[in-house]
């Protein structure tokens, strides 16, 4: 949902002359906003020009297009959108698919799946990992003990081999 809202806001932050993100947005008296460089191109050496959106006649201020009012709200909004783009808030973890979910994906593409709040899921998985670690440590100790037994058996076999060899040589 946030991605859709950001897309709608991004569209509002697009200059209707160059169809790019506003660069140094300025507002003309009719209320429409454009990039400063677009206004400079439109009003080049003119005293009056038509607004590209509503065709209202607009007088160029003394000193040129750079004297039109800076549209601070558009600049701030553009900065806010850029900070939030790509950020999705994950609230759930789907046990079936093993992935993080937003409210929207939980309600749409993961209906009927078993999912939990991220904190609950984290705690459950952490507990399961701790239990696995305990089992692995116990198994590691068993393997180490088995290794010691096997080394002892190998040593005994080598001793028996030497004894048999000595018996064969003496006979």
């Amino acid at each position: 949902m946030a991605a859709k809202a950001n897309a709608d806001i991004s569209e509002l932050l697009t200059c209707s002359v160059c169809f790019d993100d506003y660069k140094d947005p300025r507002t003309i008296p009719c209320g429409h906003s454009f990039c400063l460089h677009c206004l400079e191109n439109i009003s080049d050496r003119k005293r009056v020009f038509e607004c590209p959106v509503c065709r209202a006649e607009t007088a160029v201020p003394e000193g040129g297009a750079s004297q039109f009012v800076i549209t601070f709200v558009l600049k701030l909004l553009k900065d806010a959108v850029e900070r939030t783009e790509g950020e999705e808030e994950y609230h759930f973890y789907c046990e079936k698919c093993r992935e993080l979910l937003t409210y929207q994906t939980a309600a749409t593409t993961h209906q009927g799946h078993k999912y939990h709040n991220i904190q609950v899921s984290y705690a459950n998985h952490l507990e399961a990992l701790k239990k696995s670690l305990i089992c692995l440590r116990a198994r590691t100790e068993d393997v180490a003990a088995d290794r010691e037994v096997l080394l002892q058996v190998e040593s005994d076999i080598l001793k028996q081999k030497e004894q048999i060899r000595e018996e064969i040589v003496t006979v």
Side-chain angles (χ1 to χ4, degrees):
M1 197 174 309
K4 169 81 169 100
N6 278 353
D8 290 344
I9 292 169
S10 291
E11 189 176 317
L12 294 173
L13 296 176
T14 301
C15 175
S16 58
V17 173
C18 65
F19 300 108
D20 200 358
D21 290 344
Y22 283 112
K23 307 219 179 11
D24 197 2
R26 305 294 172 118
T27 301
I28 60 177
C30 64
H32 292 109
S33 297
F34 307 96
C35 298
L36 174 60
H37 71 273
C38 292
L39 283 173
E40 289 172 339
N41 289 338
I42 294 167
S43 66
D44 190 32
R45 296 188 182 110
K46 298 178 188 169
R47 290 198 165 287
V48 176
F49 67 94
E50 285 186 353
C51 170
V53 175
C54 68
R55 302 292 178 214
E57 283 195 359
T58 304
V60 178
E62 200 61 42
S66 64
Q67 299 307 304
F68 283 116
V69 176
I70 297 172
T71 316
F72 290 105
V73 172
L74 288 175
K75 288 179 93 166
L76 294 172
L77 191 56
K78 180 182 173 203
D79 292 344
V81 167
E82 286 173 355
R83 279 193 308 274
T84 60
E85 278 182 347
E87 291 180 17
E88 291 193 63
E89 290 188 37
Y90 296 105
H91 299 279
F92 304 103
Y93 179 78
C94 179
E95 299 294 336
K96 180 179 180 183
C97 302
R98 296 183 176 189
E99 58 186 58
L100 295 173
L101 309 176
T102 62
Y103 284 117
Q104 184 176 3
T105 56
T108 55
T109 58
H110 293 265
Q111 280 185 328
H113 294 192
K114 182 178 179 182
Y115 56 87
H116 300 285
N117 174 288
I118 286 179
Q119 286 83 9
V120 170
S121 194
Y122 171 80
N124 292 343
H125 285 267
L126 184 61
E127 189 60 34
L129 285 171
K130 286 179 180 178
K131 287 178 182 176
S132 294
L133 185 58
I134 290 168
C135 291
L136 285 171
R137 285 184 177 150
R139 184 68 186 126
T140 301
E141 290 172 7
D142 291 345
V143 168
D146 290 346
R147 182 177 181 269
E148 289 300 317
V149 169
L150 288 172
L151 288 172
Q152 184 59 47
V153 168
E154 180 185 33
S155 175
D156 292 346
I157 291 172
L158 288 174
K159 285 180 187 176
Q160 286 178 355
K161 175 182 153 187
E162 280 303 312
Q163 287 175 353
I164 294 172
R165 184 175 290 175
E166 285 177 17
E167 288 177 10
I168 294 174
V169 170
T170 56
V171 175

